[in-house]
Amino acid sequence: MFIAWGSKWEYKVKKNGLRVEKMCPECDKRGEFFEVIPTKYFTLFWIKTAPTETKKPLLECPNCHERFYIQQSDYLSAISRLSKLNQKKDNVIHLPHSMEKGIDGFIILCENCNQKLRVPQKDKMLKITCPSCKNTLYFKNGKKV
């Protein structure tokens, strides 16, 4: 009798993940890259049983499915693209439905330092703390309370 065991990596698309329109350096095609989370699973007889390790999120090319580390420029390009589409008076950038694809939230600007913060869309009260200046903001349904 023998026991077959091992491990397998799985890349799941992050629900509220980053979406970036850019050129793939591997296949030289343009596409909307999406954020994936790599998770390593323990396998017993080729069946996933338990997650053993999770690494930093990656961006995956929609064409060749090559994965790349997320750069600061990726975040900046996604934010600038969204800000051009739907800037509001109250310093809240709502994510449009046409670009949603799993993203349900909005981007706010901190009142003190103008840091851009990604916030999920929730019915309950959210307490948001800016990582740069530690300013606290309260939001509910995309509106400042």
Side-chain angles (χ1 to χ4, degrees), residues 77-102:
S77 67
I79 289 172
S80 67
R81 183 172 139 211
L82 289 173
S83 65
K84 289 176 187 174
L85 290 174
N86 203 4
Q87 181 73 42
K88 300 287 183 181
K89 290 181 183 177
D90 59 353
N91 289 338
V92 176
I93 304 165
H94 294 273
L95 304 178
H97 294 292
S98 63
M99 295 179 56
E100 198 164 291
K101 295 183 186 173

